[in-house]
Amino acid sequence: MRTMFGYGDIALFSGSGNPELAQEISDYLNEPLNDYDLIEFPNENLFIRLHGSVRGKDVYLLQSMGPPVHRNIMEMLIMIDCLKRDSVGRITAVFPYMAYARSDKKDQPRVPITARLVADMIEVAGADRYITIDLHAGQIQGFFSIPGDVLTAFHLLSDYFLAQPHENSVVATTDLGFAKKGRNFAVKLGVPLAFVEKRRVIDDRHAHAMQIIGDVQGKDVILVDDEVLTGSSIIEAAHILKKHGAQSLKLSFTHALLAPPAAKNLTAVDSITEIVTTNTLRIPPEKQHPKMTILSVAPLLGEVILRAHEGRSVGELFNE
Amino acid sequence: MRTMFGYGDIALFSGSGNPELAQEISDYLNEPLNDYDLIEFPNENLFIRLHGSVRGKDVYLLQSMGPPVHRNIMEMLIMIDCLKRDSVGRITAVFPYMAYARSDKKDQPRVPITARLVADMIEVAGADRYITIDLHAGQIQGFFSIPGDVLTAFHLLSDYFLAQPHENSVVATTDLGFAKKGRNFAVKLGVPLAFVEKRRVIDDRHAHAMQIIGDVQGKDVILVDDEVLTGSSIIEAAHILKKHGAQSLKLSFTHALLAPPAAKNLTAVDSITEIVTTNTLRIPPEKQHPKMTILSVAPLLGEVILRAHEGRSVGELFNE
Amino acid sequence: MRTMFGYGDIALFSGSGNPELAQEISDYLNEPLNDYDLIEFPNENLFIRLHGSVRGKDVYLLQSMGPPVHRNIMEMLIMIDCLKRDSVGRITAVFPYMAYARSDKKDQPRVPITARLVADMIEVAGADRYITIDLHAGQIQGFFSIPGDVLTAFHLLSDYFLAQPHENSVVATTDLGFAKKGRNFAVKLGVPLAFVEKRRVIDDRHAHAMQIIGDVQGKDVILVDDEVLTGSSIIEAAHILKKHGAQSLKLSFTHALLAPPAAKNLTAVDSITEIVTTNTLRIPPEKQHPKMTILSVAPLLGEVILRAHEGRSVGELFNE
Amino acid sequence: MRTMFGYGDIALFSGSGNPELAQEISDYLNEPLNDYDLIEFPNENLFIRLHGSVRGKDVYLLQSMGPPVHRNIMEMLIMIDCLKRDSVGRITAVFPYMAYARSDKKDQPRVPITARLVADMIEVAGADRYITIDLHAGQIQGFFSIPGDVLTAFHLLSDYFLAQPHENSVVATTDLGFAKKGRNFAVKLGVPLAFVEKRRVIDDRHAHAMQIIGDVQGKDVILVDDEVLTGSSIIEAAHILKKHGAQSLKLSFTHALLAPPAAKNLTAVDSITEIVTTNTLRIPPEKQHPKMTILSVAPLLGEVILRAHEGRSVGELFNE
Amino acid sequence: MRTMFGYGDIALFSGSGNPELAQEISDYLNEPLNDYDLIEFPNENLFIRLHGSVRGKDVYLLQSMGPPVHRNIMEMLIMIDCLKRDSVGRITAVFPYMAYARSDKKDQPRVPITARLVADMIEVAGADRYITIDLHAGQIQGFFSIPGDVLTAFHLLSDYFLAQPHENSVVATTDLGFAKKGRNFAVKLGVPLAFVEKRRVIDDRHAHAMQIIGDVQGKDVILVDDEVLTGSSIIEAAHILKKHGAQSLKLSFTHALLAPPAAKNLTAVDSITEIVTTNTLRIPPEKQHPKMTILSVAPLLGEVILRAHEGRSVGELFNE
Amino acid sequence: MRTMFGYGDIALFSGSGNPELAQEISDYLNEPLNDYDLIEFPNENLFIRLHGSVRGKDVYLLQSMGPPVHRNIMEMLIMIDCLKRDSVGRITAVFPYMAYARSDKKDQPRVPITARLVADMIEVAGADRYITIDLHAGQIQGFFSIPGDVLTAFHLLSDYFLAQPHENSVVATTDLGFAKKGRNFAVKLGVPLAFVEKRRVIDDRHAHAMQIIGDVQGKDVILVDDEVLTGSSIIEAAHILKKHGAQSLKLSFTHALLAPPAAKNLTAVDSITEIVTTNTLRIPPEKQHPKMTILSVAPLLGEVILRAHEGRSVGELFNE
């Protein structure tokens, strides 16, 4: 491996959030994960002690912001402080999924913009760069003043569907905020686009009605989104799509949050025939199911880390 | 006018970008615009000299970021520096339209995020707060670490249509990035939603085709967006909507950029019967037309300035 | 209540960490705790929405950094961001116990200084001031560049013992890092000082021996510390003190971390006759015991908040 | 070309302000100017897209702050943001002339210090270093906290006059703020010094009178300054110098602002026999004239860029 | 005294640098100087302890940067830290003379810009504003990003000469960097201007020659400068002025650095008939002399402090 | 010497505080000290001019913070500014003793935390890293946000005693704040621990009494501390220790502040048989005495500089 000008050798560290993905990246790069002690005291306080010096090194710190979310964020920040104070050459925080990314704007008064707070915390801890995948909104990149590589699983996911028969498909989305990215998916597959729109029923605070905008009659619907949490909207959408004559339903999304019992409920819906997602978040065995296809982002992250370390272009290969 | 704790009297200043709007706000508040010298040297460098002390005052600096864009931005920043160095109590930059707001993410490699740069410039110059209307993306509020009031002309515009017969209407948008806000408009009017989708034609870099998603047959279409620049997409959309049986077309958007000959071209389309917009940007007489209805944001801005000065709630009245 | 120059009315907010203490402070000040929504999404992400405007107010945000530690820290930071973006006048973060305060120096290579990180996080989120009690090391105050009031429960605790018969007492400590503060306690009571010293046994990594430095024969020992976590050192100390002829043992410490089963184990030691501590951390009923005396810090915090709001001296009353 | 430790290869970029000078520097260094897209939207907003990755590179961004001044400044800042976000190794902003340098102090109340604002804008955008020539005041270097190379065209200009017969010359200046630099010029040539002093006439706000301090009788006067904008003072000075017996007049200045019709008017004065200046600012053909000698700063800038890139001393060769 | 919005009462503190001037200001304002302990340990380290709370107050810290320079600077910075950490409302550092102001630019390679460093130190310590008099260069105000009031003793000094017979005077300066300010002096008095120019003799590193530019024959010369340190240039100038027929010589300067034996040497020159200066720096009795007139800046500083505290205009009265 | 990635060659500079130690370090590294001009003007202002370019170099600036303390601090800061503005690659400030380290907390109201101020000053001047020895409190490392190597003379001192007969020794300390470090010393030597406790006598502000906690009868006492200033506590302790039967007394401390007449007084005490210290501070000949053993920290600092420059681990060898 060539060495980037200005930094020492590469050094990989993995937080405790997603060790399987970290191992895959380590294997891809043929670089070991560095050992360190991580102690949790009985008062929950974490303590970190590196086993060897990182002076001058080009460190990539792999951490998930999945559950336990706050502990994982804090673990990442403490690790950054620890690396900085050991006079590391450069720290790149690699978090394939960014927590709090949906708290990215004040769409009502008197709410926080927590994603900016998280970005500031990462910067104040001492990170020099960051790498992440499919931010909930591209604008979040502007919350950072340090540079970063915001990658996408779009190619991974869309290529998967492109390799299957898809002539009869229609791409749909249940979130109008994802309409533009849904369009890109439809364009890539060369198929039409439809929307599932949800409106609250007047005079009933808790009821709402769903409508289909566009044509799904007799179609194989591919429902796309960036993340799935409870899956309840999708299950409702599955019913309304079926009622409008959709033939089958596949799901495609990057971040498998899948709060229990989302995985169980989704796979229980007959019309949902396949769930395609990635391992940006750890998907434990109990959430997995034969209907679920998990594509690995490890080669993507590994290649980007390699290129970042060697000072080669990332954009030419991976951005949407 | 009550005085906000911690600051002196209110003081209004207007940049040279939109003096008419500034005057309307001044009238609303019954507070004069403060005089100052603005000199442009033959080398284009601007020079500012306040006529009186602003020590301790609660200043609202009203400036447009419309054309000449870069001069207006610089004028605003110089003014902020000048006010800061005169020991002002608090500076609120009031720019109803934020330039460069569309440069808010890296949707391709090797491009800037200029909206963050503009936010940083406003902060480094010394502004304490800001007030603006309908940012292109709500996330841009997170580009600022200073607090701000991001208002919306949504109520102004939707109330206007609500006051007209609209039972036969359908709300549409040509920009899928605006789909969610289009939905809010449709919900407010209680009418259906449709989309105009534009795709590039394969094997022809410059050609593209438009499609309608949703039903517009026999409908009065209200095309909504946050800003209109050249109007060319709208004109295309007008033709395709007509072809799909739309009965009439009205436009609704907040920021009337209307680069010549946008105003002329849009008003020349027969099926476009009304263009409803606001004066966040100065609309000179030569761009105006009988088909155009310009709603003033002055009462909105004036009321928010008053409440900000007096320390009363802004959110309870104006946010979307 | 007088109003501090430069800020609006006082406004109290309580995080979810120690609502009982917050209520006591609210009662002391005769000021209600402000309502707000705190939502935890199924992906653990927290969301906050204030019920009313805090524009210009002098906010005191009461939050515990006790368990769940990381969630409570994040909740506090999000709340600060939310308050800041609602144009609050001033935010004082009130955390009676500061988590991670023991991670305050690099006493071995390649470890973090997490207490500085926590201080930086509080500052970057937007706090203007902070109030806390008995920092593990006084130097941590220097980790903040914002001003703060670092109070002490020393008077509360020592006055309690002073009011009891104490002529036959000796003050001891098991932590030599607390020797100086132990001395202050002994001076206040006018009694001698002793130390329990613990050394690792050579050639056995896990064994250690304890020694008494000073004289405890026939004495009533008051063992003092800033916090008690597992209590295991104290239980060992109780045995060695008894072996050296101590007549009885009382404990005095500010922060009752008391990780289970610390409370149960400590109260089970016969020679420990009383445990005197405070409510800087929430002590749930299952940790309480008749041997335990919990002194409330609410009047101390309440009085300091009042004085800070009114711009009166804090130091003249409460510092050690 | 050797590579500076810590950075990758050199990469030159030219803004649109002075492409001819950029090309000369490129030729001097035998390094191509990198291509990129610069798009100006109809709303004047600029958009930049680099053609290739600059990851880790040592970039020199050549931009003029000449007219259109504000557009050129903004273009430079956007470019810096773009380069930074593409993870460049180091960005050196090279602006041979710094706009707003005359707004460098508050010599009256309630005015800005725009030069500091410009320096802050360059830093907040992300520049690591800067290179410029003949700042209006040397102190402006202190407005930057990033390091920079502030070069001078003094040697270029004075060597030019030294190579001509100059025994009968006297150096003069019309701006007493330039007196010290005028002295250096006179010392270099070994000739006397004189001053043209301008005073406002009492009781007439717009009239003023000029006087000569020192002896110019029968002399060839070399009038020196850092920049010439309208030339009106010089033309007045030319008349008064002639009246005091000066034999001929030559001009020497670094920055040829020459707002129209300065070039025409100056060259029309008979007693002005030569105008010696540099190309720190683009001098379009219509401003050029046979009386005008334009010395190129390209070798100076090229050599300094080379030495900065290779980590060799700049000071030993070029500073005044 | 009215109270400035946003801050509590005024509080004056005096460092140990110039207690006489501080007392005069205190008398002018009829506000006492606050007491505090200043301890110098045997290792020279200083320690400060305020006698009472400054919470919320509007503090003016009066300190000289005269000798012992570094101790006085450090004392001022420690005081600022102390005030900040006691939750002061606002700190204005008042240093009538700014040390290191002559180190304000890199006029040769590889030298510092210490004046910027001093400005940064004052800001990082926590000052909110500053007040000073006659900075060596006006540009130094741009070294600060906090606002300040840079006053001038110009009116004090020139009014003094205006009140004397001055029709036969000529204003001169020995420092060409002071030429412009010398001109202002001459204009105020309505008298001509002359210069004393000093050039190094070629081939002799230590010798130099002086020349007079302008006419001093039979004139009463007023030699003006911002500060006088050793006086050696002035003594040389006195000789050459006399040789050129000057009738008498008076000195006028703001900052009386007067390193021994400057005062003695200057007053010993017969042709120097009066030395007019101010008390921005403490002038101990042993430096005073009947030829010396010391004008007090206390009313100027006192009035500006009063106006700053009350939020009234400073510029309208005092700036040059 | 290998070159650290990212920086050029090593370059050593020595301030004027401790030239002998700097020379020893230079000898250890076989690297010359770089020449530069240091001028002190008659107004005490310092001026620095480097003799050659440091562009890109990895500079280690060796400076003592011993007396004259404030001049030495300022000299160090000016030097850092000078190096930064000459585009140095990296600046490491090496100050073996940190002044003001005892002003590290607010143990009473209304006092400063000067150690944090000093840390901020070093950072704002532009240092990238720092190296120091035995900070008064380990927490001070957290006052810096830049990384640093905080070394210890513990091994140097304790190894010295280990090499002597020490079976009959007891380690004692007079400062309870040093109790924990005293314990480490005792553990290293495998000997017991004792304390000298000093209490103020009630009703007499200036009197105090000393007591011994632990057993010193017939023992050779080694009194340990981090620094010795006046020595008066030690002399008192010597008497009380003798009274309690101590056989002999040796002193061990890192920083020999030794304000006159400390050295004379200490060596005059008969029971004090040896004083072991280091040269972190310059010990002039007049303070030296046959009873005094001065261990050099030059090899420690030299080796750490070497490893820092080459990017090798420091922690594995030197930390406590």
Side-chain angles (χ1 to χ4, degrees), chain C residues 11-15 36 59-63 75-77 79-80 83 91-95:
Chain C
L12 299 183
F13 283 84
S14 169
Y36 63 94
V59 169
Y60 294 82
L61 170 60
L62 317 170
Q63 173 65 320
E75 188 188 308
M76 179 175 68
L77 298 174
M79 195 72 179
I80 293 170
L83 291 162
I91 308 170
T92 301
V94 184
F95 43 89

Side-chain angles (χ1 to χ4, degrees), chain B residues 4-6 129 141 144-149 307-308 311-314, chain C residues 3-9 52-53 55-57 84-87 89:
Chain B
M4 169 68 173
F5 8 83
R129 298 186 71 261
Q141 193 158 4
F144 291 88
S145 61
I146 53 172
D149 293 306
R307 287 165 172 261
R312 287 189 286 133
S313 171
V314 164
Chain C
T3 286
M4 168 68 172
F5 10 82
Y7 304 104
D9 295 338
S53 171
R55 205 166 279 260
K57 294 204 170 155
K84 177 187 74 177
R85 291 190 183 274
D86 196 40
S87 302

Side-chain angles (χ1 to χ4, degrees), chain A residues 43-170:
Chain A
N43 63 346
E44 301 181 8
N45 283 205
L46 302 173
F47 182 70
I48 280 164
R49 189 168 40 211
L50 308 184
H51 285 187
S53 170
V54 293
R55 206 167 276 261
K57 292 203 172 157
D58 187 21
V59 169
Y60 294 82
L61 169 59
L62 316 170
Q63 173 64 320
S64 171
M65 288 205 210
V69 170
H70 301 118
R71 185 191 185 285
N72 279 343
I73 291 175
M74 196 68 193
E75 188 188 307
M76 180 174 69
L77 297 174
I78 295 173
M79 194 73 180
I80 292 171
D81 182 82
C82 182
L83 291 161
K84 176 187 75 175
R85 291 190 183 275
D86 197 41
S87 302
V88 74
R90 182 172 70 163
I91 308 170
T92 301
V94 184
F95 41 90
Y97 167 74
M98 181 172 176
Y100 281 102
R102 287 193 169 241
S103 178
D104 61 350
K105 61 176 172 295
K106 290 181 66 172
D107 46 9
Q108 52 183 314
R110 301 176 210 118
V111 299
I113 303 184
T114 310
R116 170 66 194 257
L117 173 64
V118 170
D120 283 344
M121 285 158 65
I122 290 168
E123 289 191 26
V124 86
D128 297 293
R129 299 185 72 260
Y130 67 98
I131 295 175
T132 191
I133 297 180
D134 280 339
L135 286 171
H136 175 59
Q139 287 84 356
I140 294 170
Q141 192 158 4
F143 291 4
F144 291 88
S145 61
I146 53 171
D149 293 306
V150 178
L151 313 171
T152 181
F154 171 76
H155 302 296
L156 207 61
L157 292 165
S158 58
D159 285 350
Y160 179 84
F161 285 93
L162 210 53
Q164 298 183 344
H166 57 273
E167 294 71 19
N168 190 44
S169 294
V170 61

Side-chain angles (χ1 to χ4, degrees), chain A residues 117 120, chain B residues 145, chain C residues 77 80-81 83-85 88-93 119-129 146:
Chain A
L117 173 64
D120 283 344
Chain B
S145 61
Chain C
L77 298 174
I80 293 170
D81 182 83
L83 291 162
K84 177 187 74 177
R85 291 190 183 274
V88 74
R90 183 171 70 163
I91 308 170
T92 301
D120 282 345
M121 284 158 65
I122 290 167
E123 289 190 26
V124 86
D128 297 293
R129 298 185 72 261
I146 53 173

